[in-house]
Amino acid sequence: MTPYSRTTPRLLAAAVAVALAATVSGPTAQALAVDTAPRAVTARAAAGEQAAPLDLPDDAKLLSAGRTGMLTSTGWQQETAVHRWTPYAGGATVTLPAGPKWGSTGSDLVASKDGDVYTLTDMSGTAEPVVIDTSGLGTPGERYHLRRVIGTTLVMSHYLQGESRWTFHLVSVENGRTVDRPIASPVGQEDYDLYDAGPGRIVIGYGRLESPHYVQRLCVVDVATGEVTETYEAFPDSSFRIGSVAQSPNHLAWIEWRQSPVLAFAPRGTQDVERIPLTTTGEASDVEVRPLGDWALYTRPGGGTAYTGADPLHALTARSLTTGEAFEVLDHASSTAYDRDGNLLVLGGTLAQGEGLYRIAPDAATGRPAATLVRGSGRPTALVVQAETLPPTGTVDFDRAGGQLTAAMTLSRPNANVTLKLTHTASGRTAEPHTFWPGGMTHPTATWNGWFDNGYPAYNGAYTWTMTATPANGIGPATVRSGSFTLTRAPRPHDFDGNGSPDVFVRENSMLSLYDAGQITRLGSFESAFETRIGFGWNTYDRITATGDIGGTRNGDLVARDRTGALWLFEGRGDAKTPFRARVRVGGGWQVYDRLAGGSDLTGDGRNDLIASDRTGVLWLHPGTGSATKPFAARKRVGAGWGVYNQLTATGNLAGGPAGDVVARDKAGVLWLHLGKGDGTFAPRTRIGGGWGALKSVVGLGDVDGDGRNDLMALKEVVGEYPVMLVYPGTGQWRTPLGPPRTALPRYENWSGELF
């Protein structure tokens, strides 16, 4: 006992208690003054009967538990944390006045601080406050600091500047005087810490370097005298955290933090330490242990709100220290505290009973730890979907849907992974739009923009979908929803595979392949475009042109001239795997033409037409009929002089005129616009620009970049380099119909064939 002692005035005690009660109104004052009848509480808890849900935040931490209620806090800093008192009997949770608060293990006492004066208020209202004035302890530059409250004793620390070490003290009031009992410190210790070992118990961890290891010893302290009564040696170079050391009447147990957590325990008064490795996916330092009789209960706190996946130590597990039997008591525990009887109170949850306050006590029949729900919060432990907006069913018009589909879920808690997977039935291609990674959301939404995961625009047709909400902590089952729908959209110019995006054909030798233009405009510098191979044998044709829909099916078609002069129609099916129906012979005599171009409605009747220049330079119009058996009406002469061009491209409405247009490249490499007038003729040509002689192919694809205007695509060959695909965006202006080009495919894509 130190020489220092002083009388604590009764008037000061009364003033502090009145101030605490007056700071809050209504329920708090009642909590300070009313005995909540603990026997009735126990009966209701055993019957599973809750008067009102436990109204605590999810991140509330249990600090202490007494005869009638418990103290909790939220917030990391003691000075700014919010402290609450909750009666077991079903009364409302009360928020205590601002400022630091400490609970007294196993009692209803709550300590508050005003300067160097600590007041221990009995929250049951059955006893007068205990006031302890510590102003005379320590030195002016280094006061005592409260670390724990054991009964009505303050466990305090004091830093000795001259010796660079901490000392611990037991401070109490005896006969109206403040009494200071130093806790014995082993000789040569370099560091030590204090552990809340249970009701009326303290364990000190001492450490020092004993080369080559840092050795720690755990010492049981007699709270009445401050003397060390038992000493246990931890594994060399291991460490501990608050909550990782505790004692029962029969055992001392602790968690050693090494590469993985290890449960260590020894019968009281012996050095017979047993060690059991524990498996965790998290940090070993997070694991806490609480002995209960001949059992150790351990957990990695916070499993209910964890985002880090399943962890065996999320559960509160009981392990027999005599037989080794182990089983899960709760599915997770966020914090624990001993009650006045030495049983364990836990804020946690089970899949069966949900979140709340549980009491863990020995079962009367078996002696095994058993959990009883004292007061539930009304919140489930399992992940629950409270509301949902699922993908549509039936036929979905993607155009009317604005080019996207949305699905959402409202969840019972934010730590969940929600995924949406859509699968195109015919091709097997999938889309998994980013839905939600854990981060505080309870209403995750998935929006699908109509693209597959490989960057390819999604096809029309049948789809199945699966939407899954998975607990991010691995506790409880996932919720799975599934269904199907059929996607449809209006056909687009130059779209052959039914995905609403224009396509470009490439012929290399005899192989004809299709590449989606929307896909290739999205590729990065080192990504390959996805190729759909249509088949071999296409070298039998010397002229091929994509015409758009000329057969009346709404899908894009193709015409090809063989070397005998016969013209063949390949009617589109709008299917990625088989884009064309069996070919149909249109007629013969087409060898008179030098150039063919299709894909524009030149007459303004809503049907695509075909133009052809003969070897004398005369341009002819073959009006479309919309019939697959006879797709073109009798030809009409447009005019002469077209022999100056070595490339004709029908672009659709490129320049904002009344009908489809044609661009033509002359032999000097100049590109010209022929603006369609809507009657099968053209306005006087307009010069677009020079330098187009280096472009091997020029193709009108419709709207590639999604801005509502038709665009142009070209293949540029550079000596010594791979070909480069260029996209020239349409402007809708006849004077300058094309904007600056941009690369649409990586340079290493070796396209040496023809584009159309």
Side-chain angles (χ1 to χ4, degrees):
M1 183 181 299
T2 61
Y4 170 78
S5 64
R6 84 186 258 177
T7 302
T8 305
R10 294 180 59 85
L11 289 177
L12 178 60
V16 173
V18 169
L20 183 60
T23 306
V24 290
S25 61
T28 300
Q30 184 179 14
L32 291 170
V34 176
D35 187 338
T36 54
R39 293 184 180 179
V41 173
T42 304
R44 277 197 292 268
E49 180 183 324
Q50 276 77 60
L54 183 65
D55 50 344
L56 289 176
D58 287 341
D59 60 345
K61 181 179 180 180
L62 181 56
L63 299 182
S64 65
R67 182 172 60 92
T68 67
M70 62 180 178
L71 177 67
T72 60
S73 70
T74 53
W76 290 98
Q77 299 295 329
Q78 174 71 286
E79 295 292 333
T80 59
V82 177
H83 293 84
R84 300 173 177 86
W85 180 261
T86 302
Y88 303 141
T93 292
V94 176
T95 300
L96 301 182
K101 301 289 183 297
W102 296 263
S104 175
T105 303
S107 78
D108 290 330
L109 295 177
V110 173
S112 57
K113 178 184 179 183
D114 183 8
D116 292 323
V117 177
Y118 294 87
T119 301
L120 279 63
T121 302
D122 189 336
M123 300 302 292
S124 71
T126 59
E128 292 294 323
V130 176
V131 179
I132 305 177
D133 186 352
T134 67
S135 59
L137 305 180
T139 61
E142 188 62 50
R143 296 296 187 189
Y144 280 20
H145 301 279
L146 180 59
R147 303 290 294 273
R148 298 285 185 277
V149 180
I150 305 294
T152 57
T153 298
L154 307 181
V155 184
M156 308 190 78
S157 63
H158 180 224
Y159 187 69
L160 301 177
Q161 291 282 357
E163 301 180 29
S164 299
R165 67 184 183 92
W166 290 92
T167 61
F168 287 104
H169 302 259
L170 301 172
V171 179
S172 60
V173 171
E174 296 179 9
N175 300 319
R177 301 169 65 87
T178 301
V179 177
D180 179 9
R181 293 185 177 87
I183 295 177
S185 173
V187 177
Q189 61 83 16
E190 298 175 359
D191 187 23
Y192 64 126
D193 207 345
L194 174 71
Y195 302 98
D196 181 7
R201 305 165 190 152
I202 305 174
V203 173
I204 302 291
Y206 295 95
R208 68 180 179 183
L209 182 63
E210 297 180 7
S211 185
H213 300 292
Y214 186 79
V215 176
Q216 289 202 90
R217 294 176 176 87
L218 299 172
C219 302
V220 177
V221 176
D222 185 336
V223 177
T225 64
E227 297 297 324
V228 172
T229 60
E230 303 167 22
T231 301
Y232 304 84
E233 188 162 318
F235 196 84
D237 300 321
S238 61
S239 58
F240 312 97
R241 58 158 284 162
I242 303 303
S244 64
V245 180
Q247 70 178 90
S248 71
N250 301 329
H251 291 86
L252 184 74
W254 63 93
I255 300 293
E256 295 175 343
W257 180 18
R258 291 183 262 162
Q259 292 182 344
S260 60
V262 174
L263 171 64
F265 57 91
R268 293 285 300 275
T270 76
Q271 296 301 312
D272 299 331
V273 180
E274 293 188 46
R275 291 180 168 87
I276 300 174
L278 304 177
T279 301
T280 180
T281 59
E283 293 289 340
S285 61
D286 291 342
V287 182
E288 295 186 357
V289 63
R290 297 288 190 180
L292 187 65
D294 290 331
W295 295 78
L297 290 98
Y298 51 86
T299 185
R300 184 181 173 209
T305 56
Y307 293 90
T308 52
D311 187 334
L313 289 183
H314 280 162
L316 179 68
T317 301
R319 180 181 291 272
S320 172
L321 301 181
T322 56
T323 67
E325 177 191 2
F327 63 94
E328 294 182 2
V329 181
L330 299 178
D331 289 303
H332 82 89
S334 62
S335 55
T336 63
Y338 286 106
D339 67 12
R340 66 169 185 168
D341 299 320
N343 298 316
L344 198 61
L345 288 180
V346 183
L347 286 176
T350 66
L351 294 174
Q353 294 182 282
E355 299 294 290
L357 176 67
Y358 287 82
R359 176 178 286 108
I360 315 298
D363 180 79
T366 65
R368 301 165 83 243
T372 301
L373 180 62
V374 176
R375 191 172 173 191
S377 68
R379 297 189 300 271
T381 296
L383 179 66
V384 175
V385 177
Q386 298 172 328
E388 55 192 19
T389 302
L390 299 177
T393 59
T395 299
V396 179
D397 188 321
F398 207 53
D399 297 322
R400 291 187 179 181
Q404 63 182 29
L405 297 180
T406 299
M409 285 181 168
T410 299
L411 305 174
S412 59
R413 51 186 170 86
N415 56 330
N417 298 315
V418 179
T419 58
L420 174 64
K421 182 176 182 179
L422 304 101
T423 303
H424 183 247
T425 304
S427 67
R429 292 188 183 179
T430 60
E432 295 188 56
H434 174 70
T435 311
F436 171 59
W437 295 99
M441 295 173 57
T442 56
H443 187 70
T445 300
T447 300
W448 183 49
N449 61 0
W451 292 79
F452 290 127
D453 291 337
N454 62 359
Y456 204 92
Y459 305 128
N460 289 336
Y463 283 80
T464 59
W465 59 265
T466 302
M467 193 169 185
T468 306
T470 305
N473 57 6
I475 299 175
T479 297
V480 181
R481 303 284 189 264
S482 60
S484 61
F485 61 86
T486 299
L487 186 70
T488 183
R489 53 166 76 82
R492 303 290 195 272
H494 232 278
D495 176 21
F496 292 88
D497 54 7
N499 63 1
S501 178
D503 305 307
V504 59
F505 289 101
V506 178
R507 182 177 63 176
E508 295 183 77
N509 299 319
S510 69
M511 170 60 71
L512 184 68
S513 299
L514 179 147
Y515 290 84
D516 187 280
Q519 170 205 197
I520 61 182
T521 59
R522 289 174 172 239
L523 292 174
S525 299
F526 299 99
E527 294 180 285
S528 297
F530 187 86
E531 172 190 19
T532 300
R533 291 195 169 190
I534 295 173
F536 293 95
W538 288 81
N539 57 344
T540 60
Y541 305 106
D542 61 2
R543 295 291 185 274
I544 302 175
T545 184
T547 61
D549 175 26
I550 60 174
T553 63
R554 291 171 32 108
N555 301 309
D557 303 325
L558 196 80
V559 294
R561 186 186 69 186
D562 66 22
R563 301 186 188 281
T564 69
L567 191 69
W568 299 87
L569 169 64
F570 292 84
E571 193 175 8
R573 300 177 66 249
D575 181 86
K577 298 183 70 174
T578 312
F580 300 118
R581 302 178 190 274
R583 68 177 187 171
V584 175
R585 190 176 189 276
V586 174
W590 288 76
Q591 67 270 23
V592 299
Y593 296 121
D594 187 46
R595 306 288 172 197
L596 299 176
S600 282
D601 174 16
L602 302 174
T603 60
D605 62 358
R607 295 189 290 267
N608 287 340
D609 308 308
L610 185 69
I611 57 171
S613 61
D614 63 24
R615 301 186 188 279
T616 67
V618 175
L619 185 69
W620 298 87
L621 169 69
H622 291 261
T625 66
S627 169
T629 57
K630 188 179 180 181
F632 303 115
R635 69 177 186 171
K636 297 179 181 180
R637 190 178 190 273
V638 177
W642 290 74
V644 299
Y645 300 123
N646 59 16
Q647 172 86 50
L648 294 180
T649 302
T651 63
N653 192 331
L654 181 68
D661 307 319
V662 171
V663 296
R665 182 184 64 192
D666 65 24
K667 296 175 182 178
V670 176
L671 193 67
W672 300 87
L673 167 68
H674 291 266
L675 188 67
K677 296 168 62 176
D679 59 359
T681 64
F682 302 97
R685 70 179 186 173
T686 302
R687 189 178 190 272
I688 295 176
W692 288 75
L695 303 180
K696 183 175 181 179
S697 300
V698 179
V699 181
L701 289 183
D703 183 14
V704 177
D705 55 15
D707 65 356
R709 295 187 291 267
N710 288 340
D711 307 313
L712 206 65
M713 181 172 280
L715 182 67
K716 181 178 181 180
E717 289 189 325
V718 181
V719 176
E721 296 184 14
Y722 290 128
V724 177
M725 190 70 69
L726 301 175
V727 172
Y728 292 82
T731 66
Q733 305 296 320
W734 67 273
R735 293 183 183 276
T736 55
L738 299 175
R742 63 187 181 89
T743 302
L745 259 184
R747 292 179 178 272
Y748 64 81
E749 289 288 347
N750 186 12
W751 285 5
S752 59
E754 302 172 81
L755 268 64
F756 45 86

